[in-house]
Amino acid sequence: MSKVHTDYYGTHMKFTEYPKFGVLSGVKVVMTGINIAGPYVGSLMSEMGAQALQIEHPLQPCSTRGNYGYSQEHRNGFSVAIDTKSARGQEVFKKILGWADIWIESGRPGMYAKMGLSDEFIWENVNKKLSIVHVSGYGQYGPDKDKAAYDVSGQAMGGYMYLNGTSPTSAPLKVNPYLSDYATALNATICALSLLHHATVTGEGDSVDISQYETMFKLLGSYPADWFNRSYPAPGEPVRWRTGNVSDQAAAFSFYDCKDGGTIFIGCVGPGNVKRGFPLFGLPLPGTTDPDIYDNFGGCLITLPVGQRIEAAIKKFCMERTVDEVEAELNAAGIPNQKAFGPEDILKNEQYAAREDIITWTDSVYGEMKGYGVMNKFKKNPAKIVASAPTIGEHNIEVFKALGFDDKFIDDMYEAGEFSGMDPKETAERWRLKEWQFFWRPDQAEKLGL
């Protein structure tokens, strides 16, 4: 068992017994949303010690349930499934917001304000220090605010797809898997913690409006400044930035094919790298025999004649060697390189193993699983995985009682269908995990009585 699991508590974590660990110990986060961009924020924080509670509707669970993603991405989490539009459900919801330090919501813009839960109402009547993060496809205002959105909506409108393609004349290309969702979650995490700091200092909450398309637009680097100050292609014209695995700008800064079919990134730019790398590729040392490769040469545009000469030399070098041979020679010379990893490379890689990036844990539905571990290595207060992902509504009763609701209130909610939950067997049946072949061993289904 990985070291990261020395404090593993089993498949069910009691709501009132969350262990203290990590740099966010004591921080309380609630998420309302059913996709990745919002709820994943709580998952990221929970690895760092925050207590993260996801609220789902009994009839509309998180859309990442029913596959491996939820089991991997919602470890350490808590779940309640309540109808927040019912009177009792809203009472519980307000109590939860009063308990929380941070609220991540990713519903339709204005949805909670229409329920009477505007930011201002919450600060004045529920929790004056609450940090509120609104996550949506297009933002809380503007003519597109009510458009439905998924991950690819952000990639498409943000210009990210426009940049990517296999050739200047190819169609725009989306990036897998769900880049806009995950980038937005990381953006939202930064903003949530910034809001929390502000509330700690001032004693007052604030909110932030985060959109997926703006998150992706902000990731375009220098390109918007280039487009809007110089030029960009007219409709129907080739898009010169769509060059696939080849750099659209720099020579010696692309992926190159090797004789065994492998592909490897080489970044031989900068005077030091050029000085060490060019002799390997059969190119002259800067400042010696070639006026185009002058003293202290650090690289050039791929479109220039000298850039094309450099590209041809590197391609020839790679096609005469296997990808492992290229990697070994470049590593020995100190030239930045990285072959494109697949699953087997990741599983066998010593760097991954040394940093415990692949771990095994026990999921309440699937049993023993293997997947990614804790990515950020804190020195004094390490992040941890201490519980498996919860089934929907797994912590209903525990949360209600911890918030002060009595048995009659809870029974009345249950009888009215205002909350519900599923155990592991019901989870597998609801999402047809056996029929759809999500189990990879027969005993997984047998343990659940299926």
Side-chain angles (χ1 to χ4, degrees), residues 7 9-10 12-29 42-53 74-78 99 382-388 390 395 398:
D7 295 316
Y9 280 67
H12 178 79
M13 173 68 70
K14 291 184 178 180
F15 184 71
T16 56
E17 297 180 7
Y18 195 61
K20 294 187 180 299
F21 69 93
V23 293
L24 293 183
S25 179
V27 174
K28 301 181 289 292
V29 186
S43 302
L44 293 169
M45 291 185 184
S46 69
E47 286 190 356
M48 295 183 277
Q51 188 169 12
L53 171 64
H74 286 262
R75 297 171 302 195
N76 290 8
F78 297 86
W99 163 85
K384 298 179 181 180
I385 305 300
V386 296
S388 64
H395 301 92
E398 295 175 37

Side-chain angles (χ1 to χ4, degrees), residues 80-133:
V80 297
I82 58 175
D83 179 2
T84 56
K85 292 184 179 180
S86 70
R88 281 182 292 258
Q90 193 162 124
E91 187 176 348
V92 174
F93 185 35
K94 289 176 183 177
K95 281 274 193 176
I96 291 173
L97 293 181
W99 163 85
D101 299 304
I102 298 169
W103 174 27
I104 314 291
E105 77 86 5
S106 52
R108 291 291 184 95
M111 182 178 87
Y112 289 98
K114 291 177 182 177
M115 294 167 55
L117 296 173
S118 66
D119 295 354
E120 291 72 20
F121 176 88
I122 291 167
W123 292 323
E124 292 172 11
N125 300 279
V126 179
N127 185 346
K128 71 174 185 178
K129 293 181 65 175
L130 187 64
S131 298
I132 304 172
V133 181

Side-chain angles (χ1 to χ4, degrees), residues 187-215:
N187 184 20
T189 301
I190 294 169
C191 291
L193 295 177
S194 300
L195 290 172
L196 181 63
H197 171 74
H198 175 81
T200 301
V201 171
T202 68
E204 295 184 354
D206 199 350
S207 68
V208 63
D209 172 4
I210 295 175
S211 76
Q212 288 184 274
Y213 88 89
E214 287 173 316
T215 297

Side-chain angles (χ1 to χ4, degrees), residues 102-262:
I102 298 169
W103 174 27
I104 314 291
E105 77 86 5
S106 52
R108 291 291 184 95
M111 182 178 87
Y112 289 98
K114 291 177 182 177
M115 294 167 55
L117 296 173
S118 66
D119 295 354
E120 291 72 20
F121 176 88
I122 291 167
W123 292 323
E124 292 172 11
N125 300 279
V126 179
N127 185 346
K128 71 174 185 178
K129 293 181 65 175
L130 187 64
S131 298
I132 304 172
V133 181
H134 299 288
V135 177
S136 63
Y138 300 95
Q140 300 298 305
Y141 61 89
D144 289 339
K145 70 180 181 67
D146 293 323
K147 285 182 65 175
Y150 277 116
D151 162 79
V152 74
S153 307
Q155 292 195 42
M157 187 170 178
Y160 213 85
M161 285 181 62
Y162 175 83
L163 274 181
N164 289 291
T166 56
S167 76
T169 56
S170 72
L173 191 67
K174 74 179 180 73
V175 180
N176 290 331
Y178 314 124
L179 178 63
S180 174
D181 278 342
Y182 289 114
T184 300
L186 290 168
N187 184 20
T189 301
I190 294 169
C191 291
L193 295 177
S194 300
L195 290 172
L196 181 63
H197 171 74
H198 175 81
T200 301
V201 171
T202 68
E204 295 184 354
D206 199 350
S207 68
V208 63
D209 172 4
I210 295 175
S211 76
Q212 288 184 274
Y213 88 89
E214 287 173 316
T215 297
M216 299 307 296
F217 184 59
K218 200 70 175 285
L219 296 182
L220 295 184
S222 64
Y223 290 98
D226 183 22
W227 298 339
F228 306 141
N229 291 285
R230 297 178 64 200
S231 65
Y232 49 87
E237 290 184 351
V239 178
R240 61 179 179 273
W241 302 284
R242 293 181 196 154
T243 55
N245 287 336
V246 177
S247 173
D248 66 307
Q249 297 179 338
F253 200 82
S254 295
F255 276 87
Y256 300 90
D257 294 331
C258 302
K259 74 175 184 179
D260 61 347

Side-chain angles (χ1 to χ4, degrees), residues 159-393:
Y160 213 85
M161 285 181 62
Y162 175 83
L163 274 181
N164 289 291
T166 56
S167 76
T169 56
S170 72
L173 191 67
K174 74 179 180 73
V175 180
N176 290 331
Y178 314 124
L179 178 63
S180 174
D181 278 342
Y182 289 114
T184 300
L186 290 168
N187 184 20
T189 301
I190 294 169
C191 291
L193 295 177
S194 300
L195 290 172
L196 181 63
H197 171 74
H198 175 81
T200 301
V201 171
T202 68
E204 295 184 354
D206 199 350
S207 68
V208 63
D209 172 4
I210 295 175
S211 76
Q212 288 184 274
Y213 88 89
E214 287 173 316
T215 297
M216 299 307 296
F217 184 59
K218 200 70 175 285
L219 296 182
L220 295 184
S222 64
Y223 290 98
D226 183 22
W227 298 339
F228 306 141
N229 291 285
R230 297 178 64 200
S231 65
Y232 49 87
E237 290 184 351
V239 178
R240 61 179 179 273
W241 302 284
R242 293 181 196 154
T243 55
N245 287 336
V246 177
S247 173
D248 66 307
Q249 297 179 338
F253 200 82
S254 295
F255 276 87
Y256 300 90
D257 294 331
C258 302
K259 74 175 184 179
D260 61 347
T263 185
I264 190 168
F265 165 75
I266 297 174
C268 192
V269 296
N273 289 325
V274 167
K275 186 176 181 179
R276 294 189 301 272
F278 273 25
L280 282 178
F281 305 136
L283 294 165
L285 274 173
T288 56
T289 62
D290 192 322
D292 288 332
I293 304 178
Y294 45 83
D295 190 33
N296 211 37
F297 183 87
C300 67
L301 294 175
I302 196 172
T303 52
L304 297 177
V306 65
Q308 289 297 297
R309 286 173 50 205
I310 294 168
E311 284 291 296
I314 297 176
K315 289 178 181 178
K316 181 175 183 296
F317 172 85
C318 291
M319 286 306 296
E320 292 174 348
R321 294 162 175 80
T322 66
V323 68
D324 290 337
E325 290 169 344
V326 171
E327 182 181 40
E329 290 192 46
L330 296 184
N331 283 343
I335 307 301
N337 72 92
Q338 181 57 57
K339 69 178 181 180
F341 271 22
E344 187 172 1
D345 299 299
I346 292 172
L347 194 60
K348 294 181 178 179
N349 183 258
E350 293 181 359
Q351 179 70 12
Y352 272 86
R355 293 177 62 84
E356 296 183 306
D357 291 330
I358 303 171
I359 62 171
T360 301
W361 72 97
T362 302
D363 182 74
S364 61
V365 177
Y366 291 105
E368 187 174 283
M369 290 189 71
K370 184 178 289 187
Y372 62 61
V374 172
M375 296 297 108
N376 302 310
K377 322 304 189 198
F378 294 88
K379 182 169 286 187
K380 294 183 179 179
N381 299 279
K384 298 179 181 180
I385 305 300
V386 296
S388 64
T391 57
I392 182 171

